[in-house]
Amino acid sequence: MVVTHPTTGDQLNIGLDVTSLPRLRQALEAAESSGCDFVLAPLVHPRYARPVELTPSPSFDAPHPPPIVRSDPLTRSDVELSSAEWQSGIIGKVSPWINTASSSPVVRAASEAAFREEVAYATHLGVRALVVDAPAGNGVRGAGLANYGRCIASALASGMQVASVEPWAVWNTVRTLCDNHANLGLALELSSELPSPGALDRWAAEAIRVVIMPTSSYVTNRVGYPVLSRRHQELIKLLFKYRPFFALSGRPAAVKGGDGMRPYVQYLAHLFGKQPPPSEAEAFEGPYYDYLQAPLQPLADNLESATYEVFERDPVKYERYEEAVRQALLHRTSMALASALPPDIGGGPTPAEAAAAAENGTAADGTDGTSAKDSTIVVMVLGAGRGPLVRATLRASASSRIPVRVVAVEKNPNAIVTLRNAALDDPAWSCVTVVSGDMRCASSSTTARADIVVSELLGSFGDNELSPECLDGAAALLKPDVISIPASYTSYLAPLSSARLHREVRGLGAGDTPFETAYVVRIHKGVTAAPSVPALTFVHPSDGGSNERHVEAAWVAAETNVIHGFAGYFEAVLFGDVGISIRPETASLGMFSWFPIYFPVKTPVLVAKGGTVRMHLWRRVGGGRVWYEWALAEPAVSAVHNVGGKSYSLGLTTG
Ligand SMILES: C[S@@+](CC[C@H](N)C(=O)[O-])C[C@H]1O[C@@H](n2cnc3c(N)ncnc32)[C@H](O)[C@@H]1O
């Protein structure tokens, strides 16, 4: 019986790992009565182990060792179970004596022949997957490991799902030998001792298919039930996210809660059932896990209604903007009033005095404020979309009691329809003027000049939706002392290990282009080898300098790992201490408008624990386009990716 989460309906597979099972159907029924829905079982009984002398291969290199000749059946008949039962109820285990990594040519050849036989039979049965033991002893390195990897690669080529039980370094070699095959997974065996949190994060980023949990990894609580330590619980909760098959192994101890394995199964099911349902952000992100998307180009393309709708669902972004606008209004008002005071009166009004003064039409010092109407603060929303930042501005004006005139500039003619309708229908919009057109040439369409400019032209990497070029181009719309919201933004980079994402990129087509493109992706199966570091910073209003940039970034790897590229994020200062961030270390909780960006590298590189990862990233501008180029510098030098923007660039011309 599959365990089902009481509120989400998500399912969890829990099974029993058995070393031998004379009666298959009874074993399956016993597993079911313990609350399990599968059995991890050897497909061939140990007494059918084929003696080495029967099957010597003539030489190590022999491509096709002779088939095993036998008259007795290899194993029990497939008719003992229905094919549906084989498929849903059994995960196979390759015979433990098989050692394709052996240094003995005779053992190796016999093992290979037996391995092929068992893989063929597993394929015939249609079992969910086949678990293969890790090579032991000398087999974990050199020719033995290579041979083991080759045998697994051939099993994968036959269409089998294979899970290999490994130490990480061996797993990584085998995964590489198998060309990062999608059907190759990991069987992770837990023990009572757990590795460091960093090592666990590295495992969690791998393709974990099976988690083997010995009963010895449990402890007995004060009232006699088997439970897991807090660290084990944390790990199991992390693993729940990836829905592996949990297989309980070993002997049940004398514990409360029922016979045999039932108490162990029940505890695992209880932990799963206690998992909180996904938050709004998690529910939104779920379908996008590890799904590569082309970054939006709101300047070159016109966004669709559904895209705006998704932005507008963010519960955090507009709140932060509203607070930033509110603080900027108070600041602007207090500055204006302070500059109106005679020079010998020191210390300007407080923000509260400024707000009261603006509402009453008097200056905060009690002097006649008749000029206040003429000096109504002009807030320009550049790239207004369907108007959420206009609304945030109007809310900020209302809550601060500081009147504003709003000018909403938008170049997407379809979003202009929404803005003009809002201006007609909503009385709160009586102070809003809608200007249709590119902000870089809108100064001829309006005489208004902004005291405060509000924009959200930010991509996952900060500047990658061309906010710097758009805002610089809009300089003629701004007063010299304009306040820009955002005031600045900085991109961040971290070395990323994600075999999954690298495989996804490779699946996009041949040639360099897929590896010379950046992707927006909610990274699920991936881990950063070190915390992110700052990359490119832009400040607004700018000094008019170049928007080209170069960064050389370096990190020390927390664990030995393979680097498959770089994850990019941004932090933005909206106003004062109000900001937004998608950087993992400082992320704005609950904000889901942006996923990270992924810059892949063509050839993944192994970095040792404590070793340095170093890379260069350039932001280039020219010929009506902006693009990034990037290259690894350590632990190995790579070719520069995307030279001259040949594979991926961002257009500066409006669509
Ligand atoms: C990322 S969207 C944000 C929309 C909206 N502010 C929001 O938060 O939902 C950026 C918007 O800026 C507009 N835009 C981009 N470049 C522009 C430009 N140069 N002039 C005017 N609008 C621009 C796009 O059409 C798009 O509507």
Side-chain angles (χ1 to χ4, degrees), residues 369-394:
T370 46
S371 62
K373 197 165 191 313
D374 303 329
S375 59
T376 304
I377 291 177
V378 176
V379 180
M380 229 172 241
V381 179
L382 299 183
R386 304 198 309 181
L389 292 179
V390 175
R391 283 184 202 95
T393 301
L394 295 176

Side-chain angles (χ1 to χ4, degrees), residues 332-343:
R332 189 75 180 185
T333 308
S334 59
M335 287 297 105
L337 291 169
S339 67
L341 292 174

Side-chain angles (χ1 to χ4, degrees), residues 499-558:
R500 167 76 193 263
L501 287 188
H502 203 261
R503 186 171 59 234
E504 293 290 321
V505 173
R506 199 170 53 171
L508 293 177
D512 287 346
T513 302
F515 286 105
E516 297 195 323
T517 303
Y519 303 91
V520 166
V521 56
R522 174 66 180 84
I523 302 166
H524 189 56
K525 275 285 174 197
V527 63
T528 48
S532 62
V533 299
L536 316 175
T537 295
F538 295 86
V539 176
H540 294 289
S542 82
D543 60 6
S546 164
N547 286 326
E548 292 205 315
R549 297 279 189 283
H550 164 246
V551 60
E552 180 177 10
W555 305 262
V556 174

Side-chain angles (χ1 to χ4, degrees), residues 230-551:
R230 195 146 301 284
R231 274 201 75 206
H232 278 79
Q233 286 183 39
E234 291 310 314
L235 173 62
I236 297 297
K237 285 178 193 165
L238 176 71
L239 293 172
F240 281 153
K241 285 203 295 188
Y242 305 114
R243 296 282 185 280
F245 292 91
F246 285 89
L248 293 161
S249 69
R251 288 180 167 280
V255 288
K256 278 199 182 158
D259 292 337
M261 291 295 209
R262 177 165 273 280
Y264 299 89
V265 176
Q266 277 179 342
Y267 180 73
L268 212 50
H270 159 76
L271 277 188
F272 182 64
K274 264 191 2 189
Q275 289 292 98
S279 64
E280 193 183 349
E282 284 166 344
F284 170 78
E285 292 170 352
Y288 296 100
Y289 284 159
D290 295 327
Y291 175 66
L292 301 176
Q293 292 177 277
L296 290 177
Q297 294 207 35
L299 177 57
D301 304 327
N302 283 329
L303 302 183
E304 293 173 359
S305 185
T307 311
Y308 286 116
E309 196 174 278
V310 172
F311 293 154
E312 291 161 16
R313 278 169 52 195
D314 194 304
V316 176
K317 169 181 149 184
Y318 301 106
E319 261 178 28
R320 295 280 170 98
Y321 265 90
E322 179 184 334
E323 177 57 16
V325 175
R326 194 185 70 82
Q327 291 192 15
L329 287 173
L330 290 170
H331 177 81
R332 189 75 180 185
T333 308
S334 59
M335 287 297 105
L337 291 169
S339 67
L341 292 174
D344 57 334
I345 301 180
T350 64
E353 289 165 341
E359 192 184 27
N360 298 336
T362 59
D365 61 351
T367 60
D368 183 2
T370 46
S371 62
K373 197 165 191 313
D374 303 329
S375 59
T376 304
I377 291 177
V378 176
V379 180
M380 229 172 241
V381 179
L382 299 183
R386 304 198 309 181
L389 292 179
V390 175
R391 283 184 202 95
T393 301
L394 295 176
R395 287 195 300 272
S397 163
S399 65
S400 63
R401 294 178 293 153
I402 297 175
V404 291
R405 278 203 296 135
V406 180
V407 181
V409 181
E410 173 55 55
K411 62 99 198 171
N412 178 350
N414 307 311
I416 286 288
V417 175
T418 322
L419 292 170
R420 292 215 161 122
N421 271 303
L424 271 183
D425 297 342
D426 187 343
W429 280 55
S430 58
C431 60
V432 179
T433 308
V434 176
V435 174
S436 173
D438 188 326
M439 66 180 81
R440 293 169 297 177
C441 36
S443 57
S444 54
S445 311
T446 173
T447 54
R449 294 297 175 258
D451 295 285
I452 297 174
V453 60
V454 182
S455 70
E456 189 282 275
L457 303 154
L458 303 171
S460 303
F461 201 51
D463 61 85
N464 65 301
E465 289 184 9
L466 306 183
S467 180
E469 284 72 19
C470 288
L471 293 181
D472 286 0
L477 288 171
L478 317 176
K479 288 187 181 163
D481 58 347
V482 70
I483 293 174
S484 174
I485 297 175
S488 69
Y489 35 91
T490 299
S491 53
Y492 284 78
L493 284 164
L496 179 72
S497 179
S498 175
R500 167 76 193 263
L501 287 188
H502 203 261
R503 186 171 59 234
E504 293 290 321
V505 173
R506 199 170 53 171
L508 293 177
D512 287 346
T513 302
F515 286 105
E516 297 195 323
T517 303
Y519 303 91
V520 166
V521 56
R522 174 66 180 84
I523 302 166
H524 189 56
K525 275 285 174 197
V527 63
T528 48
S532 62
V533 299
L536 316 175
T537 295
F538 295 86
V539 176
H540 294 289
S542 82
D543 60 6
S546 164
N547 286 326
E548 292 205 315
R549 297 279 189 283
H550 164 246
V551 60

Side-chain angles (χ1 to χ4, degrees), residues 49-248:
R50 282 121 293 176
V52 166
E53 314 79 72
L54 283 180
T55 57
S57 167
S59 82
F60 171 60
D61 294 324
H64 299 294
I68 297 166
V69 181
R70 62 170 67 250
S71 55
D72 54 337
L74 169 71
T75 185
R76 64 176 65 77
S77 168
D78 54 353
V79 297
E80 280 196 26
L81 295 180
S82 69
S83 55
E85 287 170 320
W86 283 111
Q87 283 161 24
S88 66
I90 306 291
I91 294 180
K93 279 200 285 192
V94 165
S95 295
W97 65 267
I98 290 178
N99 183 3
T100 56
S102 170
S103 54
S104 153
V106 174
V107 174
R108 199 168 53 230
S111 293
E112 268 191 49
F115 181 72
R116 267 201 304 278
E117 200 173 33
E118 294 195 14
V119 169
Y121 196 62
T123 311
H124 168 75
L125 295 173
V127 293
R128 285 178 144 165
L130 196 56
V131 174
V132 189
D133 280 343
N138 289 335
V140 299
R141 62 184 81 87
L145 183 55
N147 203 54
Y148 173 91
R150 184 181 63 79
C151 290
I152 294 205
S154 68
L156 292 165
S158 75
M160 195 66 226
Q161 298 255 357
V162 179
S164 173
V165 183
E166 313 284 6
W168 189 84
V170 173
W171 156 255
N172 184 46
T173 305
V174 173
R175 183 240 315 265
T176 309
L177 287 164
C178 295
D179 205 13
N180 198 9
H181 198 292
N183 283 354
L184 177 66
L186 187 68
L188 195 63
E189 189 157 9
L190 301 189
S191 64
S192 48
E193 294 296 312
L194 290 181
S196 67
L200 288 178
D201 284 348
R202 183 179 62 175
W203 278 120
E206 301 292 353
I208 300 171
R209 297 280 155 76
V210 180
V211 176
I212 300 171
M213 293 186 62
T215 48
S216 58
S217 60
Y218 285 69
V219 290
T220 308
N221 71 6
R222 274 179 291 119
V223 279
Y225 289 89
V227 295
L228 290 169
S229 72
R230 195 146 301 284
R231 274 201 75 206
H232 278 79
Q233 286 183 39
E234 291 310 314
L235 173 62
I236 297 297
K237 285 178 193 165
L238 176 71
L239 293 172
F240 281 153
K241 285 203 295 188
Y242 305 114
R243 296 282 185 280
F245 292 91
F246 285 89
L248 293 161

